[in-house]
Amino acid sequence: MRYPAEHKQETRERIIHAASRRFRRAGAGVGIGQLMKTLKMTHGGFYRHFKSKDDLFEAALRKSFEEMRARMRAAIASAQPGHELGAIVETYLSEQHCNDAAGGCPVAALASEIGRQPRALRAAFERSIGEATSAMAQFMTGATEEERRRKAGVLFSGMSGTLAVARAVSDEELRKRILAAARKIYVEAFAHS
């Protein structure tokens, strides 16, 4: 049975979406066989859409960063003018984001694993982080674009590390305290001139 061309693209997007969530929830070690079985597809069918697991991992990373950018754009859109950076911090370090590793930031979920991946994947990850910090830099204070980008890089690194630690602790109250303290400190340090 032959499928229309759009079916192949829809199937590819379905695999990318599922892989994006699975990698963020369970790490880079997720097997292709398990992933395809979950999607009720064959392992061999995977290779009609991707050259390799690395190819899928890169596409899944792009999808993850797209989702994160959409979450941050929504936070910015709902913020009062001049309070966009505070909205980014509040949204990123929210309990909701913390509890949604599969749908959350790929940096907090995968940064420790990316360093062990092939150079092309690390480069794609780096580009996406650069895009995220550039988007945040427009809301930072600073005399130059370079200063604003450096500050955004520090803030983004700090927030993703905070989120990763908060997700790692088993005590729910401690997790809430970590997130609340970081939100307060980051808003005070970065969102006020």
Side-chain angles (χ1 to χ4, degrees):
M1 177 177 179
R2 295 191 55 89
Y3 292 104
E6 59 270 4
H7 179 266
K8 183 174 182 179
Q9 184 59 34
E10 289 169 5
T11 301
R12 178 181 166 83
E13 291 302 318
R14 203 171 109 217
I15 295 168
I16 291 169
H17 176 74
S20 171
R21 294 188 62 78
R22 181 71 63 93
F23 287 137
R24 284 179 281 175
R25 185 177 64 244
V30 169
I32 297 304
Q34 321 168 245
L35 176 66
M36 296 303 283
K37 186 176 180 181
T38 301
L39 293 169
K40 296 180 176 31
M41 299 171 75
T42 65
H43 188 271
F46 169 82
Y47 294 100
R48 289 187 197 110
H49 302 280
F50 302 96
K51 294 180 282 190
S52 64
K53 181 179 176 182
D54 287 348
D55 186 29
L56 172 61
F57 194 56
E58 186 173 341
L61 274 176
R62 279 194 307 274
K63 175 75 170 167
S64 299
F65 276 103
E66 286 170 15
E67 290 174 4
M68 185 187 76
R69 282 190 298 274
R71 183 181 291 212
M72 294 305 112
R73 279 193 302 271
I76 291 164
S78 68
Q80 292 183 9
H83 296 276
E84 295 89 353
L85 191 60
I88 290 170
V89 171
E90 294 286 336
T91 300
Y92 191 95
L93 293 175
S94 68
E95 290 177 39
Q96 179 187 7
H97 188 203
C98 187
N99 294 333
D100 185 21
C105 178
V107 177
L110 296 167
S112 64
E113 295 186 51
I114 295 295
R116 294 185 289 275
Q117 299 301 316
R119 182 179 301 273
L121 282 172
R122 293 192 326 259
F125 191 74
E126 184 178 330
R127 280 189 303 275
S128 293
I129 288 174
E131 291 167 7
T133 56
S134 289
M136 280 187 6
Q138 65 183 311
F139 303 110
M140 305 296 286
T141 60
T144 65
E145 177 65 23
E146 179 57 30
E147 182 183 355
R148 290 186 293 276
R149 285 179 59 85
R150 277 196 318 269
K151 285 181 175 181
V154 169
L155 176 58
F156 187 58
S157 297
M159 288 194 312
S160 62
T162 298
L163 190 62
V165 170
R167 286 178 177 163
V169 300
S170 61
D171 182 315
E172 189 174 336
E173 288 306 312
L174 177 57
R175 180 179 310 117
K176 288 178 182 180
R177 285 194 308 270
I178 290 169
L179 293 169
R183 285 191 304 265
K184 183 177 186 322
I185 289 168
Y186 290 141
V187 167
E188 288 173 358
F190 291 99
H192 298 295
S193 44

mmCIF file of all heavy atoms in Angstrom, residues 131-183:
data_model
loop_
_atom_site.group_PDB
_atom_site.id
_atom_site.type_symbol
_atom_site.label_atom_id
_atom_site.label_comp_id
_atom_site.label_asym_id
_atom_site.label_seq_id
_atom_site.Cartn_x
_atom_site.Cartn_y
_atom_site.Cartn_z
ATOM 1 N N GLU A 131 20.742 30.760 20.470
ATOM 2 C CA GLU A 131 19.476 31.377 20.086
ATOM 3 C C GLU A 131 18.649 31.738 21.320
ATOM 4 O O GLU A 131 18.046 32.809 21.382
ATOM 5 C CB GLU A 131 18.682 30.443 19.179
ATOM 6 C CG GLU A 131 19.296 30.245 17.816
ATOM 7 C CD GLU A 131 18.685 29.097 17.035
ATOM 8 O OE1 GLU A 131 17.681 28.508 17.496
ATOM 9 O OE2 GLU A 131 19.218 28.784 15.956
ATOM 10 N N ALA A 132 18.640 30.848 22.307
ATOM 11 C CA ALA A 132 17.866 31.100 23.534
ATOM 12 C C ALA A 132 18.437 32.291 24.298
ATOM 13 O O ALA A 132 17.680 33.158 24.761
ATOM 14 C CB ALA A 132 17.861 29.857 24.422
ATOM 15 N N THR A 133 19.746 32.360 24.412
ATOM 16 C CA THR A 133 20.342 33.475 25.152
ATOM 17 C C THR A 133 20.199 34.783 24.379
ATOM 18 O O THR A 133 19.995 35.833 24.984
ATOM 19 C CB THR A 133 21.821 33.213 25.514
ATOM 20 O OG1 THR A 133 22.561 32.921 24.340
ATOM 21 C CG2 THR A 133 21.950 32.074 26.506
ATOM 22 N N SER A 134 20.246 34.729 23.051
ATOM 23 C CA SER A 134 20.033 35.943 22.256
ATOM 24 C C SER A 134 18.620 36.475 22.465
ATOM 25 O O SER A 134 18.419 37.682 22.578
ATOM 26 C CB SER A 134 20.250 35.661 20.763
ATOM 27 O OG SER A 134 21.607 35.451 20.514
ATOM 28 N N ALA A 135 17.658 35.576 22.515
ATOM 29 C CA ALA A 135 16.271 35.998 22.736
ATOM 30 C C ALA A 135 16.114 36.639 24.119
ATOM 31 O O ALA A 135 15.413 37.640 24.264
ATOM 32 C CB ALA A 135 15.334 34.810 22.589
ATOM 33 N N MET A 136 16.781 36.075 25.122
ATOM 34 C CA MET A 136 16.697 36.637 26.478
ATOM 35 C C MET A 136 17.474 37.940 26.583
ATOM 36 O O MET A 136 17.092 38.824 27.351
ATOM 37 C CB MET A 136 17.232 35.644 27.517
ATOM 38 C CG MET A 136 16.235 34.600 27.877
ATOM 39 S SD MET A 136 16.677 33.469 29.235
ATOM 40 C CE MET A 136 18.163 34.037 29.909
ATOM 41 N N ALA A 137 18.549 38.070 25.830
ATOM 42 C CA ALA A 137 19.423 39.246 25.940
ATOM 43 C C ALA A 137 18.681 40.545 25.664
ATOM 44 O O ALA A 137 19.016 41.582 26.254
ATOM 45 C CB ALA A 137 20.614 39.109 24.992
ATOM 46 N N GLN A 138 17.681 40.493 24.826
ATOM 47 C CA GLN A 138 16.959 41.732 24.503
ATOM 48 C C GLN A 138 16.242 42.322 25.720
ATOM 49 O O GLN A 138 15.910 43.494 25.729
ATOM 50 C CB GLN A 138 15.969 41.489 23.372
ATOM 51 C CG GLN A 138 14.847 40.537 23.713
ATOM 52 C CD GLN A 138 13.940 40.260 22.542
ATOM 53 O OE1 GLN A 138 13.493 41.188 21.875
ATOM 54 N NE2 GLN A 138 13.681 38.996 22.284
ATOM 55 N N PHE A 139 16.059 41.521 26.768
ATOM 56 C CA PHE A 139 15.386 42.003 27.976
ATOM 57 C C PHE A 139 16.364 42.281 29.123
ATOM 58 O O PHE A 139 15.946 42.671 30.208
ATOM 59 C CB PHE A 139 14.322 40.996 28.429
ATOM 60 C CG PHE A 139 13.317 40.705 27.365
ATOM 61 C CD1 PHE A 139 13.280 39.475 26.742
ATOM 62 C CD2 PHE A 139 12.411 41.684 26.957
ATOM 63 C CE1 PHE A 139 12.355 39.205 25.744
ATOM 64 C CE2 PHE A 139 11.484 41.430 25.964
ATOM 65 C CZ PHE A 139 11.458 40.184 25.349
ATOM 66 N N MET A 140 17.657 42.090 28.866
ATOM 67 C CA MET A 140 18.678 42.297 29.893
ATOM 68 C C MET A 140 19.136 43.752 29.891
ATOM 69 O O MET A 140 19.064 44.428 28.875
ATOM 70 C CB MET A 140 19.904 41.408 29.634
ATOM 71 C CG MET A 140 19.632 39.931 29.496
ATOM 72 S SD MET A 140 18.989 39.126 30.964
ATOM 73 C CE MET A 140 20.410 39.057 31.981
ATOM 74 N N THR A 141 19.628 44.194 31.041
ATOM 75 C CA THR A 141 20.260 45.505 31.093
ATOM 76 C C THR A 141 21.720 45.334 30.708
ATOM 77 O O THR A 141 22.284 44.250 30.846
ATOM 78 C CB THR A 141 20.174 46.115 32.508
ATOM 79 O OG1 THR A 141 20.830 45.234 33.420
ATOM 80 C CG2 THR A 141 18.731 46.332 32.928
ATOM 81 N N GLY A 142 22.327 46.391 30.223
ATOM 82 C CA GLY A 142 23.733 46.342 29.849
ATOM 83 C C GLY A 142 24.033 47.402 28.810
ATOM 84 O O GLY A 142 23.163 47.767 28.017
ATOM 85 N N ALA A 143 25.263 47.855 28.805
ATOM 86 C CA ALA A 143 25.663 48.935 27.914
ATOM 87 C C ALA A 143 25.806 48.472 26.469
ATOM 88 O O ALA A 143 25.598 49.252 25.539
ATOM 89 C CB ALA A 143 26.982 49.544 28.398
ATOM 90 N N THR A 144 26.158 47.196 26.274
ATOM 91 C CA THR A 144 26.376 46.693 24.913
ATOM 92 C C THR A 144 25.612 45.391 24.720
ATOM 93 O O THR A 144 25.226 44.715 25.683
ATOM 94 C CB THR A 144 27.868 46.405 24.663
ATOM 95 O OG1 THR A 144 28.281 45.338 25.532
ATOM 96 C CG2 THR A 144 28.729 47.638 24.903
ATOM 97 N N GLU A 145 25.453 45.025 23.459
ATOM 98 C CA GLU A 145 24.801 43.752 23.127
ATOM 99 C C GLU A 145 25.613 42.591 23.707
ATOM 100 O O GLU A 145 25.045 41.640 24.226
ATOM 101 C CB GLU A 145 24.665 43.615 21.606
ATOM 102 C CG GLU A 145 24.070 42.302 21.156
ATOM 103 C CD GLU A 145 22.628 42.085 21.593
ATOM 104 O OE1 GLU A 145 21.900 43.069 21.865
ATOM 105 O OE2 GLU A 145 22.201 40.920 21.666
ATOM 106 N N GLU A 146 26.920 42.680 23.611
ATOM 107 C CA GLU A 146 27.781 41.615 24.151
ATOM 108 C C GLU A 146 27.580 41.461 25.658
ATOM 109 O O GLU A 146 27.497 40.335 26.170
ATOM 110 C CB GLU A 146 29.260 41.910 23.837
ATOM 111 C CG GLU A 146 30.223 40.874 24.368
ATOM 112 C CD GLU A 146 29.942 39.455 23.874
ATOM 113 O OE1 GLU A 146 29.415 39.285 22.753
ATOM 114 O OE2 GLU A 146 30.232 38.501 24.626
ATOM 115 N N GLU A 147 27.486 42.550 26.396
ATOM 116 C CA GLU A 147 27.259 42.472 27.841
ATOM 117 C C GLU A 147 25.902 41.831 28.139
ATOM 118 O O GLU A 147 25.786 40.983 29.022
ATOM 119 C CB GLU A 147 27.321 43.866 28.465
ATOM 120 C CG GLU A 147 27.130 43.859 29.973
ATOM 121 C CD GLU A 147 27.130 45.243 30.588
ATOM 122 O OE1 GLU A 147 27.366 46.244 29.875
ATOM 123 O OE2 GLU A 147 26.873 45.326 31.803
ATOM 124 N N ARG A 148 24.875 42.220 27.390
ATOM 125 C CA ARG A 148 23.550 41.645 27.590
ATOM 126 C C ARG A 148 23.549 40.149 27.276
ATOM 127 O O ARG A 148 22.936 39.354 27.985
ATOM 128 C CB ARG A 148 22.513 42.394 26.745
ATOM 129 C CG ARG A 148 22.254 43.811 27.266
ATOM 130 C CD ARG A 148 21.127 44.494 26.523
ATOM 131 N NE ARG A 148 21.423 44.785 25.137
ATOM 132 C CZ ARG A 148 22.077 45.870 24.718
ATOM 133 N NH1 ARG A 148 22.504 46.776 25.584
ATOM 134 N NH2 ARG A 148 22.309 46.053 23.429
ATOM 135 N N ARG A 149 24.264 39.751 26.229
ATOM 136 C CA ARG A 149 24.344 38.319 25.871
ATOM 137 C C ARG A 149 25.082 37.526 26.950
ATOM 138 O O ARG A 149 24.689 36.409 27.280
ATOM 139 C CB ARG A 149 25.030 38.149 24.518
ATOM 140 C CG ARG A 149 24.136 38.526 23.344
ATOM 141 C CD ARG A 149 24.880 38.359 22.021
ATOM 142 N NE ARG A 149 25.348 37.002 21.804
ATOM 143 C CZ ARG A 149 24.621 36.030 21.280
ATOM 144 N NH1 ARG A 149 23.386 36.252 20.917
ATOM 145 N NH2 ARG A 149 25.129 34.830 21.096
ATOM 146 N N ARG A 150 26.163 38.091 27.492
ATOM 147 C CA ARG A 150 26.896 37.396 28.566
ATOM 148 C C ARG A 150 25.999 37.200 29.776
ATOM 149 O O ARG A 150 25.958 36.134 30.370
ATOM 150 C CB ARG A 150 28.149 38.185 28.955
ATOM 151 C CG ARG A 150 29.341 37.926 28.070
ATOM 152 C CD ARG A 150 30.648 38.403 28.684
ATOM 153 N NE ARG A 150 30.583 39.694 29.341
ATOM 154 C CZ ARG A 150 30.824 40.863 28.753
ATOM 155 N NH1 ARG A 150 31.134 40.899 27.474
ATOM 156 N NH2 ARG A 150 30.758 41.986 29.425
ATOM 157 N N LYS A 151 25.286 38.251 30.160
ATOM 158 C CA LYS A 151 24.369 38.150 31.303
ATOM 159 C C LYS A 151 23.283 37.103 31.038
ATOM 160 O O LYS A 151 22.936 36.315 31.922
ATOM 161 C CB LYS A 151 23.716 39.500 31.593
ATOM 162 C CG LYS A 151 24.619 40.503 32.254
ATOM 163 C CD LYS A 151 23.827 41.780 32.512
ATOM 164 C CE LYS A 151 24.616 42.802 33.282
ATOM 165 N NZ LYS A 151 23.792 44.019 33.538
ATOM 166 N N ALA A 152 22.747 37.106 29.821
ATOM 167 C CA ALA A 152 21.709 36.132 29.468
ATOM 168 C C ALA A 152 22.267 34.713 29.537
ATOM 169 O O ALA A 152 21.581 33.792 29.998
ATOM 170 C CB ALA A 152 21.149 36.428 28.083
ATOM 171 N N GLY A 153 23.506 34.537 29.109
ATOM 172 C CA GLY A 153 24.131 33.213 29.189
ATOM 173 C C GLY A 153 24.279 32.733 30.615
ATOM 174 O O GLY A 153 24.027 31.562 30.930
ATOM 175 N N VAL A 154 24.679 33.641 31.494
ATOM 176 C CA VAL A 154 24.813 33.292 32.909
ATOM 177 C C VAL A 154 23.444 32.957 33.503
ATOM 178 O O VAL A 154 23.287 31.954 34.207
ATOM 179 C CB VAL A 154 25.478 34.444 33.700
ATOM 180 C CG1 VAL A 154 25.376 34.224 35.202
ATOM 181 C CG2 VAL A 154 26.934 34.586 33.278
ATOM 182 N N LEU A 155 22.452 33.776 33.204
ATOM 183 C CA LEU A 155 21.108 33.527 33.728
ATOM 184 C C LEU A 155 20.555 32.201 33.220
ATOM 185 O O LEU A 155 20.040 31.399 34.005
ATOM 186 C CB LEU A 155 20.162 34.673 33.341
ATOM 187 C CG LEU A 155 18.690 34.492 33.737
ATOM 188 C CD1 LEU A 155 18.538 34.300 35.237
ATOM 189 C CD2 LEU A 155 17.867 35.679 33.251
ATOM 190 N N PHE A 156 20.686 31.960 31.923
ATOM 191 C CA PHE A 156 20.152 30.721 31.360
ATOM 192 C C PHE A 156 20.851 29.495 31.947
ATOM 193 O O PHE A 156 20.202 28.517 32.304
ATOM 194 C CB PHE A 156 20.267 30.749 29.833
ATOM 195 C CG PHE A 156 19.584 29.597 29.172
ATOM 196 C CD1 PHE A 156 18.228 29.360 29.364
ATOM 197 C CD2 PHE A 156 20.283 28.747 28.340
ATOM 198 C CE1 PHE A 156 17.593 28.290 28.746
ATOM 199 C CE2 PHE A 156 19.655 27.686 27.718
ATOM 200 C CZ PHE A 156 18.306 27.459 27.917
ATOM 201 N N SER A 157 22.165 29.566 32.073
ATOM 202 C CA SER A 157 22.908 28.452 32.672
ATOM 203 C C SER A 157 22.473 28.222 34.115
ATOM 204 O O SER A 157 22.281 27.076 34.543
ATOM 205 C CB SER A 157 24.417 28.734 32.644
ATOM 206 O OG SER A 157 24.875 28.828 31.333
ATOM 207 N N GLY A 158 22.324 29.310 34.853
ATOM 208 C CA GLY A 158 21.896 29.188 36.247
ATOM 209 C C GLY A 158 20.500 28.621 36.374
ATOM 210 O O GLY A 158 20.238 27.751 37.220
ATOM 211 N N MET A 159 19.588 29.091 35.539
ATOM 212 C CA MET A 159 18.214 28.592 35.623
ATOM 213 C C MET A 159 18.128 27.121 35.233
ATOM 214 O O MET A 159 17.430 26.344 35.886
ATOM 215 C CB MET A 159 17.285 29.420 34.735
ATOM 216 C CG MET A 159 17.008 30.803 35.247
ATOM 217 S SD MET A 159 15.607 31.644 34.445
ATOM 218 C CE MET A 159 15.907 31.402 32.703
ATOM 219 N N SER A 160 18.852 26.715 34.188
ATOM 220 C CA SER A 160 18.781 25.310 33.775
ATOM 221 C C SER A 160 19.422 24.404 34.829
ATOM 222 O O SER A 160 18.915 23.313 35.093
ATOM 223 C CB SER A 160 19.424 25.100 32.400
ATOM 224 O OG SER A 160 20.790 25.435 32.407
ATOM 225 N N GLY A 161 20.495 24.868 35.456
ATOM 226 C CA GLY A 161 21.103 24.098 36.542
ATOM 227 C C GLY A 161 20.171 23.996 37.739
ATOM 228 O O GLY A 161 20.035 22.928 38.350
ATOM 229 N N THR A 162 19.528 25.096 38.076
ATOM 230 C CA THR A 162 18.567 25.092 39.181
ATOM 231 C C THR A 162 17.444 24.114 38.902
ATOM 232 O O THR A 162 17.053 23.324 39.773
ATOM 233 C CB THR A 162 17.985 26.506 39.400
ATOM 234 O OG1 THR A 162 19.046 27.392 39.754
ATOM 235 C CG2 THR A 162 16.927 26.508 40.486
ATOM 236 N N LEU A 163 16.919 24.147 37.683
ATOM 237 C CA LEU A 163 15.822 23.248 37.327
ATOM 238 C C LEU A 163 16.266 21.791 37.398
ATOM 239 O O LEU A 163 15.536 20.934 37.924
ATOM 240 C CB LEU A 163 15.304 23.585 35.920
ATOM 241 C CG LEU A 163 14.022 22.906 35.494
ATOM 242 C CD1 LEU A 163 12.854 23.292 36.403
ATOM 243 C CD2 LEU A 163 13.701 23.273 34.042
ATOM 244 N N ALA A 164 17.467 21.500 36.920
ATOM 245 C CA ALA A 164 17.974 20.124 36.972
ATOM 246 C C ALA A 164 18.115 19.643 38.414
ATOM 247 O O ALA A 164 17.738 18.508 38.739
ATOM 248 C CB ALA A 164 19.323 20.034 36.245
ATOM 249 N N VAL A 165 18.631 20.491 39.296
ATOM 250 C CA VAL A 165 18.781 20.116 40.707
ATOM 251 C C VAL A 165 17.414 19.937 41.359
ATOM 252 O O VAL A 165 17.181 18.968 42.082
ATOM 253 C CB VAL A 165 19.634 21.154 41.471
ATOM 254 C CG1 VAL A 165 19.590 20.915 42.970
ATOM 255 C CG2 VAL A 165 21.073 21.116 40.972
ATOM 256 N N ALA A 166 16.506 20.857 41.081
ATOM 257 C CA ALA A 166 15.164 20.754 41.668
ATOM 258 C C ALA A 166 14.485 19.457 41.241
ATOM 259 O O ALA A 166 13.805 18.810 42.041
ATOM 260 C CB ALA A 166 14.319 21.965 41.272
ATOM 261 N N ARG A 167 14.676 19.058 40.001
ATOM 262 C CA ARG A 167 14.086 17.800 39.526
ATOM 263 C C ARG A 167 14.737 16.587 40.177
ATOM 264 O O ARG A 167 14.112 15.535 40.302
ATOM 265 C CB ARG A 167 14.234 17.687 38.014
ATOM 266 C CG ARG A 167 13.294 18.584 37.262
ATOM 267 C CD ARG A 167 13.507 18.482 35.777
ATOM 268 N NE ARG A 167 12.536 19.294 35.052
ATOM 269 C CZ ARG A 167 12.677 19.648 33.794
ATOM 270 N NH1 ARG A 167 13.739 19.266 33.107
ATOM 271 N NH2 ARG A 167 11.751 20.384 33.213
ATOM 272 N N ALA A 168 15.986 16.734 40.591
ATOM 273 C CA ALA A 168 16.722 15.596 41.150
ATOM 274 C C ALA A 168 16.378 15.301 42.604
ATOM 275 O O ALA A 168 16.544 14.172 43.049
ATOM 276 C CB ALA A 168 18.226 15.834 41.018
ATOM 277 N N VAL A 169 15.899 16.294 43.340
ATOM 278 C CA VAL A 169 15.631 16.060 44.764
ATOM 279 C C VAL A 169 14.296 15.347 44.934
ATOM 280 O O VAL A 169 13.351 15.563 44.176
ATOM 281 C CB VAL A 169 15.673 17.365 45.603
ATOM 282 C CG1 VAL A 169 17.032 18.022 45.515
ATOM 283 C CG2 VAL A 169 14.585 18.326 45.191
ATOM 284 N N SER A 170 14.233 14.489 45.934
ATOM 285 C CA SER A 170 13.010 13.714 46.161
ATOM 286 C C SER A 170 12.026 14.421 47.090
ATOM 287 O O SER A 170 10.835 14.147 47.049
ATOM 288 C CB SER A 170 13.355 12.335 46.728
ATOM 289 O OG SER A 170 14.020 12.474 47.970
ATOM 290 N N ASP A 171 12.523 15.342 47.904
ATOM 291 C CA ASP A 171 11.671 16.051 48.861
ATOM 292 C C ASP A 171 10.945 17.187 48.150
ATOM 293 O O ASP A 171 11.559 18.152 47.691
ATOM 294 C CB ASP A 171 12.549 16.591 50.000
ATOM 295 C CG ASP A 171 11.753 17.295 51.079
ATOM 296 O OD1 ASP A 171 10.867 18.105 50.745
ATOM 297 O OD2 ASP A 171 12.041 17.045 52.257
ATOM 298 N N GLU A 172 9.615 17.084 48.058
ATOM 299 C CA GLU A 172 8.824 18.077 47.328
ATOM 300 C C GLU A 172 8.945 19.472 47.915
ATOM 301 O O GLU A 172 9.026 20.466 47.186
ATOM 302 C CB GLU A 172 7.355 17.659 47.294
ATOM 303 C CG GLU A 172 6.531 18.513 46.386
ATOM 304 C CD GLU A 172 5.104 18.015 46.240
ATOM 305 O OE1 GLU A 172 4.854 16.820 46.444
ATOM 306 O OE2 GLU A 172 4.246 18.847 45.916
ATOM 307 N N GLU A 173 8.987 19.575 49.234
ATOM 308 C CA GLU A 173 9.118 20.893 49.866
ATOM 309 C C GLU A 173 10.477 21.518 49.561
ATOM 310 O O GLU A 173 10.574 22.717 49.315
ATOM 311 C CB GLU A 173 8.883 20.803 51.379
ATOM 312 C CG GLU A 173 7.429 20.561 51.740
ATOM 313 C CD GLU A 173 6.482 21.584 51.116
ATOM 314 O OE1 GLU A 173 6.761 22.810 51.204
ATOM 315 O OE2 GLU A 173 5.465 21.165 50.529
ATOM 316 N N LEU A 174 11.524 20.703 49.584
ATOM 317 C CA LEU A 174 12.857 21.203 49.227
ATOM 318 C C LEU A 174 12.864 21.677 47.780
ATOM 319 O O LEU A 174 13.417 22.736 47.464
ATOM 320 C CB LEU A 174 13.915 20.125 49.452
ATOM 321 C CG LEU A 174 15.341 20.489 49.043
ATOM 322 C CD1 LEU A 174 15.832 21.737 49.760
ATOM 323 C CD2 LEU A 174 16.276 19.303 49.291
ATOM 324 N N ARG A 175 12.236 20.913 46.886
ATOM 325 C CA ARG A 175 12.155 21.298 45.474
ATOM 326 C C ARG A 175 11.482 22.666 45.341
ATOM 327 O O ARG A 175 11.979 23.539 44.641
ATOM 328 C CB ARG A 175 11.365 20.249 44.706
ATOM 329 C CG ARG A 175 11.221 20.534 43.231
ATOM 330 C CD ARG A 175 10.437 19.460 42.480
ATOM 331 N NE ARG A 175 10.920 18.137 42.766
ATOM 332 C CZ ARG A 175 10.182 17.182 43.362
ATOM 333 N NH1 ARG A 175 8.940 17.407 43.721
ATOM 334 N NH2 ARG A 175 10.692 15.992 43.598
ATOM 335 N N LYS A 176 10.383 22.856 46.042
ATOM 336 C CA LYS A 176 9.668 24.134 45.983
ATOM 337 C C LYS A 176 10.534 25.272 46.515
ATOM 338 O O LYS A 176 10.533 26.374 45.949
ATOM 339 C CB LYS A 176 8.369 24.043 46.779
ATOM 340 C CG LYS A 176 7.317 23.193 46.120
ATOM 341 C CD LYS A 176 6.070 23.104 46.996
ATOM 342 C CE LYS A 176 5.022 22.214 46.358
ATOM 343 N NZ LYS A 176 3.807 22.114 47.177
ATOM 344 N N ARG A 177 11.280 25.012 47.594
ATOM 345 C CA ARG A 177 12.148 26.051 48.168
ATOM 346 C C ARG A 177 13.281 26.411 47.209
ATOM 347 O O ARG A 177 13.628 27.588 47.066
ATOM 348 C CB ARG A 177 12.708 25.609 49.521
ATOM 349 C CG ARG A 177 11.698 25.655 50.648
ATOM 350 C CD ARG A 177 12.334 25.555 52.022
ATOM 351 N NE ARG A 177 13.231 24.431 52.194
ATOM 352 C CZ ARG A 177 12.866 23.206 52.626
ATOM 353 N NH1 ARG A 177 11.606 22.966 52.931
ATOM 354 N NH2 ARG A 177 13.760 22.261 52.769
ATOM 355 N N ILE A 178 13.853 25.418 46.563
ATOM 356 C CA ILE A 178 14.923 25.668 45.586
ATOM 357 C C ILE A 178 14.412 26.564 44.467
ATOM 358 O O ILE A 178 15.043 27.564 44.105
ATOM 359 C CB ILE A 178 15.474 24.336 45.017
ATOM 360 C CG1 ILE A 178 16.262 23.574 46.085
ATOM 361 C CG2 ILE A 178 16.332 24.583 43.765
ATOM 362 C CD1 ILE A 178 16.601 22.140 45.699
ATOM 363 N N LEU A 179 13.260 26.216 43.908
ATOM 364 C CA LEU A 179 12.686 26.997 42.814
ATOM 365 C C LEU A 179 12.335 28.409 43.249
ATOM 366 O O LEU A 179 12.654 29.382 42.555
ATOM 367 C CB LEU A 179 11.448 26.295 42.249
ATOM 368 C CG LEU A 179 11.697 24.967 41.529
ATOM 369 C CD1 LEU A 179 10.383 24.261 41.259
ATOM 370 C CD2 LEU A 179 12.483 25.181 40.244
ATOM 371 N N ALA A 180 11.686 28.543 44.419
ATOM 372 C CA ALA A 180 11.264 29.868 44.901
ATOM 373 C C ALA A 180 12.470 30.755 45.182
ATOM 374 O O ALA A 180 12.482 31.936 44.816
ATOM 375 C CB ALA A 180 10.398 29.720 46.148
ATOM 376 N N ALA A 181 13.498 30.196 45.817
ATOM 377 C CA ALA A 181 14.693 30.988 46.129
ATOM 378 C C ALA A 181 15.387 31.441 44.850
ATOM 379 O O ALA A 181 15.800 32.600 44.730
ATOM 380 C CB ALA A 181 15.653 30.171 46.992
ATOM 381 N N ALA A 182 15.494 30.552 43.883
ATOM 382 C CA ALA A 182 16.156 30.907 42.627
ATOM 383 C C ALA A 182 15.352 31.962 41.873
ATOM 384 O O ALA A 182 15.931 32.915 41.329
ATOM 385 C CB ALA A 182 16.355 29.670 41.765
ATOM 386 N N ARG A 183 14.024 31.814 41.836
ATOM 387 C CA ARG A 183 13.203 32.833 41.167
ATOM 388 C C ARG A 183 13.458 34.201 41.781
ATOM 389 O O ARG A 183 13.679 35.190 41.067
ATOM 390 C CB ARG A 183 11.711 32.485 41.262
ATOM 391 C CG ARG A 183 11.265 31.368 40.360
ATOM 392 C CD ARG A 183 9.751 31.252 40.290
ATOM 393 N NE ARG A 183 9.107 31.093 41.576
ATOM 394 C CZ ARG A 183 8.766 29.922 42.119
ATOM 395 N NH1 ARG A 183 9.035 28.788 41.476
ATOM 396 N NH2 ARG A 183 8.162 29.879 43.281
#
